[in-house]
Amino acid sequence: MDMKFFKGKAQVKSGWVISLMLLLTMSIAFSSCEEWFEDDDDDGGGGIIPVGRNFADHLDTPWEMVFAPDGKMFVTQRPGAILVIDQHGNKTPWLQLDSVVEEVGESGLFGIELDPAFDQNGYVYFAYTYAVSKSPLRLMNKIVRYKDNAGTPSFDKVLLDSIEGNYLHNAGPLEFGPDSMLYCTVGEIFRPELAQDMSSLNGKILRMTRDGSIPLDNPFPDSYIYSLGHRNPQGLAFQPETNNLWSTEHGPSVEQGCCMDEINLIMPGHNYGWPLIRGDQQQAGLETPVYYSGDTTTWAPAGGFFVTQGDWKGSLIFTGLRGQALYRAVFDENDPSRIVTVERYLHEVFGRLRNVVEGPDGKIYIAVSNQDGRGDPLTSDDRIVIMTQEEILRYKSD
């Protein structure tokens, strides 16, 4: 509220008039911004509907979230910290790597995943950028495994190291598949030619065993490469019905036009075309995306998951950074490899959205990323917000 409105008038008005004007002004202010109304509780009947509920706030660029079997959430923050958040939203620092992680532009601490047998072995996997040299600055990415010992982390091993890094398009999410193999995306570090270079791991989706070795059945002998021709893939999710792997990927921004963000069905050994084709272009031996954002719309898609319950069961939900929205990909009931449409929700309600997961309670947890240098943060940002499918439906837009 701007107190300059009252300057001068406060000298001639009586106290009760000033109080009345303050109340009226506050009422107008709240009624004009209900989409940004922040409240950790449900609507108490006052007529203002809060948008979700803050699960955790005052975070710094949360990147990926994963739930442990006991319901606790592990969260990576790009500057180099991993938190554990319990069911009540209480935050506990788990690992601090600020002195090791190099956050330059989009680099930093990225994806996190728990071992399929986490209850037995406590293994936690994550990826991050570090500096090989400071002057000149040279960046690398690595994937490591730590062990959780009753809440205390200890280093276990490096699974994969010396993946070329840059201030843009580094490593991405981690995801265990139904085959118990670990999958990871790697961007082309803003060097498009690397996406087609089989001697480089950049611009690829990688597949490895839980101890970091190359699976014998990978599509290319003695190579971690599972698929190639990627620009900046930032989401991985396995479709429960088919066990197929899907990825969300950023299209061109300045170097080859605009927009054309992608949703791809990832098949082993296939080439997804960057930088040879983009959007709906076709070329022999290259994969055109199953669905893309078009030539004038940008999603900047990030993390996502397949919904396992409720009315949205079977849909792929993913977040948008520049698009500042939550997206729902709706599949053909008779063909789970075909996307009928992509719906948009929560447009410009929270700002930039980095990731989204389904909780053990069936609710949807959304990571807000306004502290990444490109957003307009509120005092409580960054946050993780909880919403139900029904609540999100109120905020559908064209």
Side-chain angles (χ1 to χ4, degrees):
M1 180 171 54
D2 189 355
M3 294 304 296
K4 293 178 182 178
F5 179 81
F6 296 102
K7 191 171 287 185
K9 294 183 180 181
Q11 299 172 358
V12 297
K13 297 290 184 180
S14 64
W16 70 270
V17 174
I18 294 174
S19 299
L20 178 60
M21 293 176 68
L22 282 166
L23 288 171
L24 288 172
T25 305
M26 290 173 67
S27 176
I28 292 170
F30 277 116
S31 65
S32 64
C33 61
E34 68 178 58
E35 281 197 338
W36 287 94
F37 180 80
E38 296 181 74
D39 192 340
D40 283 354
D41 299 314
D42 292 333
D43 179 25
I48 300 174
I49 302 174
V51 182
R53 178 174 67 86
N54 285 352
F55 176 59
D57 56 17
H58 296 94
L59 306 175
D60 191 347
T61 320
W63 213 95
E64 190 163 39
M65 308 170 286
V66 61
F67 281 97
D70 64 0
K72 292 179 181 177
M73 175 192 284
F74 284 75
V75 182
T76 53
Q77 297 179 102
R78 205 175 68 193
I82 300 177
L83 299 177
V84 173
I85 308 176
D86 69 16
Q87 297 91 326
H88 307 291
N90 299 311
K91 297 176 290 186
T92 302
W94 188 74
L95 183 63
Q96 204 77 26
L97 290 172
D98 301 54
S99 61
V100 176
V101 171
E102 196 72 28
E103 185 189 24
V104 181
E106 295 176 358
S107 74
L109 178 59
F110 302 116
I112 187 168
E113 180 65 299
L114 305 184
D115 195 275
F118 177 79
D119 266 344
Q120 287 75 47
N121 57 36
Y123 287 148
V124 180
Y125 306 75
F126 54 91
Y128 64 88
T129 311
Y130 67 97
V132 176
S133 65
K134 296 282 189 176
S135 183
L137 183 63
R138 186 185 174 201
L139 301 177
M140 289 286 181
N141 296 290
K142 66 166 61 174
I143 301 171
V144 299
R145 184 170 76 185
Y146 273 62
K147 185 176 178 66
D148 178 64
N149 302 287
T152 301
S154 60
F155 172 78
D156 182 65
K157 69 178 302 182
V158 174
L159 273 69
L160 184 59
D161 200 351
S162 301
I163 306 170
E164 288 286 342
N166 196 359
Y167 68 99
L168 293 172
H169 304 179
N170 289 274
L174 301 179
E175 189 77 16
F176 271 107
D179 55 5
S180 295
M181 297 295 174
L182 183 63
Y183 295 74
C184 177
T185 74
V186 182
E188 34 75 290
I189 57 173
F190 218 64
R191 291 173 54 192
E193 72 278 5
L194 294 182
Q196 296 295 323
D197 183 352
M198 289 296 292
S199 67
S200 170
L201 296 180
N202 296 97
K204 314 296 191 301
I205 292 176
L206 311 180
R207 179 176 181 257
M208 67 193 73
T209 67
R210 289 192 269 184
D211 64 1
S213 60
I214 298 172
L216 295 176
D217 59 348
N218 266 13
F220 304 103
D222 301 318
S223 174
Y224 288 102
I225 297 173
Y226 189 72
S227 62
L228 66 151
H230 299 286
R231 180 177 182 265
N232 188 21
Q234 293 211 5
L236 287 177
F238 282 90
Q239 191 173 27
E241 181 181 348
T242 63
N243 288 338
N244 287 335
L245 176 61
W246 292 78
S247 175
T248 57
E249 182 167 343
H250 289 214
S253 52
V254 294
E255 73 274 43
Q256 289 197 34
C258 171
C259 316
M260 294 179 277
D261 296 320
E262 301 178 357
I263 305 175
N264 287 302
L265 172 58
I266 304 300
M267 294 172 283
H270 285 229
N271 188 332
Y272 289 80
W274 182 255
L276 305 176
I277 62 171
R278 53 203 176 275
D280 60 358
Q281 295 175 347
Q282 298 183 13
Q283 185 174 318
L286 304 179
E287 297 294 332
T288 299
V290 174
Y291 201 97
Y292 81 113
S293 66
D295 302 338
T296 60
T297 300
T298 297
W299 300 330
F305 72 96
F306 278 91
V307 182
T308 64
Q309 52 192 297
D311 293 340
W312 284 2
K313 183 177 180 180
S315 298
L316 173 64
I317 305 296
F318 63 94
T319 50
L321 291 162
R322 188 174 175 184
Q324 298 189 44
L326 188 73
Y327 299 94
R328 176 194 175 210
V330 182
F331 288 78
D332 187 326
E333 292 183 357
N334 300 312
D335 184 359
S337 66
R338 177 176 175 267
I339 296 174
V340 177
T341 188
V342 172
E343 302 169 344
R344 184 177 69 172
Y345 297 87
L346 299 169
H347 182 229
E348 296 183 345
V349 171
F350 298 117
R352 294 167 63 81
L353 304 184
R354 161 60 63 184
N355 219 312
V356 59
V357 294
E358 185 179 59
D361 54 6
K363 294 180 180 178
I364 295 174
Y365 292 69
I366 306 166
V368 178
S369 185
N370 290 322
Q371 296 277 5
D372 62 4
R374 297 174 179 174
D376 185 15
L378 298 177
T379 55
S380 60
D381 281 337
D382 282 332
R383 297 177 282 164
I384 297 173
V385 179
I386 306 176
M387 299 187 74
T388 64
Q389 295 177 26
E390 293 74 17
E391 289 170 335
I392 295 172
L393 275 169
R394 303 175 189 171
Y395 295 92
K396 183 179 179 181
S397 57
D398 296 329

